[in-house]
mmCIF file of all heavy atoms in Angstrom:
data_model
loop_
_atom_site.group_PDB
_atom_site.id
_atom_site.type_symbol
_atom_site.label_atom_id
_atom_site.label_comp_id
_atom_site.label_asym_id
_atom_site.label_seq_id
_atom_site.Cartn_x
_atom_site.Cartn_y
_atom_site.Cartn_z
ATOM 1 N N ILE A 5 173.931 275.069 34.599
ATOM 2 C CA ILE A 5 173.694 274.579 33.267
ATOM 3 C C ILE A 5 174.810 273.763 32.710
ATOM 4 O O ILE A 5 174.721 272.654 32.216
ATOM 5 C CB ILE A 5 173.374 275.687 32.272
ATOM 6 C CG1 ILE A 5 172.127 276.382 32.668
ATOM 7 C CG2 ILE A 5 173.228 275.201 30.815
ATOM 8 C CD1 ILE A 5 171.725 277.675 31.960
ATOM 9 N N LEU A 34 169.309 270.650 18.532
ATOM 10 C CA LEU A 34 169.131 271.866 19.243
ATOM 11 C C LEU A 34 169.384 273.125 18.480
ATOM 12 O O LEU A 34 168.591 274.122 18.581
ATOM 13 C CB LEU A 34 170.146 271.800 20.469
ATOM 14 C CG LEU A 34 170.139 273.070 21.415
ATOM 15 C CD1 LEU A 34 168.754 273.186 22.102
ATOM 16 C CD2 LEU A 34 171.280 272.972 22.395
ATOM 17 N N LEU A 50 157.262 291.074 14.871
ATOM 18 C CA LEU A 50 156.949 291.961 13.769
ATOM 19 C C LEU A 50 155.397 291.997 13.546
ATOM 20 O O LEU A 50 154.920 293.073 13.110
ATOM 21 C CB LEU A 50 157.628 291.427 12.462
ATOM 22 C CG LEU A 50 159.139 291.582 12.354
ATOM 23 C CD1 LEU A 50 159.673 290.825 11.137
ATOM 24 C CD2 LEU A 50 159.544 293.011 12.442
ATOM 25 N N ALA A 51 154.732 290.952 13.867
ATOM 26 C CA ALA A 51 153.291 290.938 13.599
ATOM 27 C C ALA A 51 152.606 291.989 14.601
ATOM 28 O O ALA A 51 151.575 292.597 14.256
ATOM 29 C CB ALA A 51 152.705 289.646 13.855
ATOM 30 N N PRO A 58 155.067 294.130 8.517
ATOM 31 C CA PRO A 58 155.565 293.436 7.276
ATOM 32 C C PRO A 58 154.531 292.693 6.533
ATOM 33 O O PRO A 58 154.728 292.354 5.332
ATOM 34 C CB PRO A 58 156.560 292.395 7.858
ATOM 35 C CG PRO A 58 156.063 292.196 9.233
ATOM 36 C CD PRO A 58 155.411 293.501 9.710
ATOM 37 N N TRP A 66 156.652 286.657 3.897
ATOM 38 C CA TRP A 66 156.861 286.330 5.280
ATOM 39 C C TRP A 66 156.154 284.991 5.554
ATOM 40 O O TRP A 66 156.712 284.102 6.258
ATOM 41 C CB TRP A 66 156.268 287.317 6.209
ATOM 42 C CG TRP A 66 157.108 288.564 6.262
ATOM 43 C CD1 TRP A 66 156.994 289.686 5.439
ATOM 44 C CD2 TRP A 66 158.250 288.758 7.049
ATOM 45 N NE1 TRP A 66 157.955 290.649 5.762
ATOM 46 C CE2 TRP A 66 158.781 290.146 6.730
ATOM 47 C CE3 TRP A 66 158.938 288.065 7.985
ATOM 48 C CZ2 TRP A 66 159.888 290.602 7.289
ATOM 49 C CZ3 TRP A 66 159.986 288.528 8.577
ATOM 50 C CH2 TRP A 66 160.559 289.785 8.279
ATOM 51 N N CYS A 68 154.784 282.533 3.176
ATOM 52 C CA CYS A 68 155.129 281.390 2.303
ATOM 53 C C CYS A 68 156.575 281.007 2.439
ATOM 54 O O CYS A 68 156.865 279.810 2.511
ATOM 55 C CB CYS A 68 154.716 281.729 0.860
ATOM 56 S SG CYS A 68 152.979 281.923 0.606
ATOM 57 N N TRP A 69 157.487 281.979 2.473
ATOM 58 C CA TRP A 69 158.854 281.688 2.375
ATOM 59 C C TRP A 69 159.446 281.476 3.744
ATOM 60 O O TRP A 69 160.022 280.442 4.055
ATOM 61 C CB TRP A 69 159.618 282.651 1.600
ATOM 62 C CG TRP A 69 159.416 282.660 0.168
ATOM 63 C CD1 TRP A 69 158.603 283.431 -0.629
ATOM 64 C CD2 TRP A 69 159.959 281.632 -0.733
ATOM 65 N NE1 TRP A 69 158.584 283.088 -1.869
ATOM 66 C CE2 TRP A 69 159.406 281.971 -2.087
ATOM 67 C CE3 TRP A 69 160.805 280.589 -0.614
ATOM 68 C CZ2 TRP A 69 159.701 281.250 -3.174
ATOM 69 C CZ3 TRP A 69 161.095 279.842 -1.737
ATOM 70 C CH2 TRP A 69 160.605 280.181 -2.964
ATOM 71 N N GLY A 71 157.681 281.528 6.747
ATOM 72 C CA GLY A 71 156.851 280.798 7.614
ATOM 73 C C GLY A 71 156.658 279.364 7.205
ATOM 74 O O GLY A 71 156.342 278.486 8.102
ATOM 75 N N PRO A 75 161.094 276.656 7.564
ATOM 76 C CA PRO A 75 160.972 275.612 8.480
ATOM 77 C C PRO A 75 160.938 274.218 7.864
ATOM 78 O O PRO A 75 161.508 273.279 8.460
ATOM 79 C CB PRO A 75 159.703 275.897 9.258
ATOM 80 C CG PRO A 75 159.436 277.351 9.042
ATOM 81 C CD PRO A 75 160.030 277.677 7.690
ATOM 82 N N SER A 76 160.305 274.105 6.654
ATOM 83 C CA SER A 76 160.285 272.783 6.037
ATOM 84 C C SER A 76 161.688 272.335 5.662
ATOM 85 O O SER A 76 162.010 271.189 5.743
ATOM 86 C CB SER A 76 159.400 272.855 4.809
ATOM 87 O OG SER A 76 158.049 273.197 5.141
ATOM 88 N N VAL A 78 164.550 273.371 6.999
ATOM 89 C CA VAL A 78 165.356 273.024 8.209
ATOM 90 C C VAL A 78 164.912 271.601 8.729
ATOM 91 O O VAL A 78 165.775 270.846 9.110
ATOM 92 C CB VAL A 78 165.171 274.083 9.257
ATOM 93 C CG1 VAL A 78 165.804 273.657 10.549
ATOM 94 C CG2 VAL A 78 165.717 275.452 8.838
ATOM 95 N N LEU A 82 167.234 268.248 9.018
ATOM 96 C CA LEU A 82 167.477 267.567 10.332
ATOM 97 C C LEU A 82 167.037 266.090 10.284
ATOM 98 O O LEU A 82 167.691 265.233 10.725
ATOM 99 C CB LEU A 82 166.707 268.289 11.380
ATOM 100 C CG LEU A 82 167.124 269.640 11.832
ATOM 101 C CD1 LEU A 82 166.174 270.249 12.849
ATOM 102 C CD2 LEU A 82 168.549 269.599 12.403
ATOM 103 N N SER A 93 174.728 253.746 12.682
ATOM 104 C CA SER A 93 174.887 253.233 14.025
ATOM 105 C C SER A 93 174.249 251.768 14.192
ATOM 106 O O SER A 93 174.379 251.203 15.219
ATOM 107 C CB SER A 93 174.246 254.112 15.052
ATOM 108 O OG SER A 93 172.810 254.147 14.857
ATOM 109 N N VAL A 104 178.221 240.165 23.613
ATOM 110 C CA VAL A 104 177.780 239.934 25.040
ATOM 111 C C VAL A 104 176.266 239.756 25.062
ATOM 112 O O VAL A 104 175.538 240.410 24.270
ATOM 113 C CB VAL A 104 178.162 241.085 25.926
ATOM 114 C CG1 VAL A 104 177.632 240.824 27.402
ATOM 115 C CG2 VAL A 104 179.600 241.361 25.886
ATOM 116 N N LEU A 130 179.076 244.622 33.432
ATOM 117 C CA LEU A 130 179.390 244.176 32.155
ATOM 118 C C LEU A 130 180.870 244.572 31.837
ATOM 119 O O LEU A 130 181.296 245.746 32.051
ATOM 120 C CB LEU A 130 178.479 244.930 31.102
ATOM 121 C CG LEU A 130 178.878 244.711 29.630
ATOM 122 C CD1 LEU A 130 178.949 243.320 29.147
ATOM 123 C CD2 LEU A 130 177.911 245.595 28.764
ATOM 124 N N ALA A 145 164.029 238.667 30.573
ATOM 125 C CA ALA A 145 163.536 237.406 31.217
ATOM 126 C C ALA A 145 162.105 237.564 31.670
ATOM 127 O O ALA A 145 161.432 236.547 32.073
ATOM 128 C CB ALA A 145 164.406 236.989 32.339
ATOM 129 N N PRO A 154 174.579 255.770 29.039
ATOM 130 C CA PRO A 154 174.580 257.059 28.335
ATOM 131 C C PRO A 154 175.867 257.527 27.794
ATOM 132 O O PRO A 154 175.913 258.063 26.665
ATOM 133 C CB PRO A 154 174.095 258.028 29.474
ATOM 134 C CG PRO A 154 173.276 257.205 30.401
ATOM 135 C CD PRO A 154 173.950 255.820 30.403
ATOM 136 N N ILE A 169 170.055 244.073 19.034
ATOM 137 C CA ILE A 169 171.514 244.269 19.166
ATOM 138 C C ILE A 169 171.853 245.793 19.227
ATOM 139 O O ILE A 169 171.396 246.605 18.424
ATOM 140 C CB ILE A 169 172.163 243.591 17.980
ATOM 141 C CG1 ILE A 169 171.846 242.129 17.942
ATOM 142 C CG2 ILE A 169 173.745 243.786 18.086
ATOM 143 C CD1 ILE A 169 172.445 241.389 16.703
ATOM 144 N N ARG A 198 176.868 248.410 35.984
ATOM 145 C CA ARG A 198 178.099 249.127 35.561
ATOM 146 C C ARG A 198 178.729 248.459 34.372
ATOM 147 O O ARG A 198 178.664 247.230 34.259
ATOM 148 C CB ARG A 198 179.063 249.132 36.772
ATOM 149 C CG ARG A 198 178.617 249.919 37.980
ATOM 150 C CD ARG A 198 179.744 249.832 39.098
ATOM 151 N NE ARG A 198 179.840 248.490 39.540
ATOM 152 C CZ ARG A 198 180.970 247.993 40.106
ATOM 153 N NH1 ARG A 198 181.964 248.786 40.256
ATOM 154 N NH2 ARG A 198 180.998 246.748 40.425
ATOM 155 N N ARG A 205 195.812 244.590 28.649
ATOM 156 C CA ARG A 205 196.313 243.628 29.583
ATOM 157 C C ARG A 205 195.302 243.207 30.532
ATOM 158 O O ARG A 205 195.142 241.959 30.859
ATOM 159 C CB ARG A 205 197.532 244.178 30.343
ATOM 160 C CG ARG A 205 198.176 243.192 31.289
ATOM 161 C CD ARG A 205 199.572 243.663 31.730
ATOM 162 N NE ARG A 205 199.468 244.823 32.568
ATOM 163 C CZ ARG A 205 200.479 245.342 33.188
ATOM 164 N NH1 ARG A 205 201.726 244.910 32.977
ATOM 165 N NH2 ARG A 205 200.341 246.421 33.970
ATOM 166 N N TRP A 207 192.111 243.150 30.052
ATOM 167 C CA TRP A 207 191.115 242.390 29.319
ATOM 168 C C TRP A 207 191.556 240.947 29.108
ATOM 169 O O TRP A 207 190.733 240.008 29.238
ATOM 170 C CB TRP A 207 190.773 243.040 28.000
ATOM 171 C CG TRP A 207 189.808 242.258 27.100
ATOM 172 C CD1 TRP A 207 190.066 241.605 25.933
ATOM 173 C CD2 TRP A 207 188.475 241.996 27.372
ATOM 174 N NE1 TRP A 207 188.979 241.016 25.403
ATOM 175 C CE2 TRP A 207 187.967 241.254 26.287
ATOM 176 C CE3 TRP A 207 187.594 242.442 28.342
ATOM 177 C CZ2 TRP A 207 186.601 240.887 26.207
ATOM 178 C CZ3 TRP A 207 186.221 242.116 28.287
ATOM 179 C CH2 TRP A 207 185.714 241.318 27.260
#
Side-chain angles (χ1 to χ4, degrees):
I5 295 175
L34 178 63
L50 290 174
W66 289 94
C68 295
W69 288 103
S76 298
V78 172
L82 291 176
S93 66
V104 180
L130 168 59
I169 302 177
R198 294 179 298 156
R205 185 166 67 175
W207 176 248

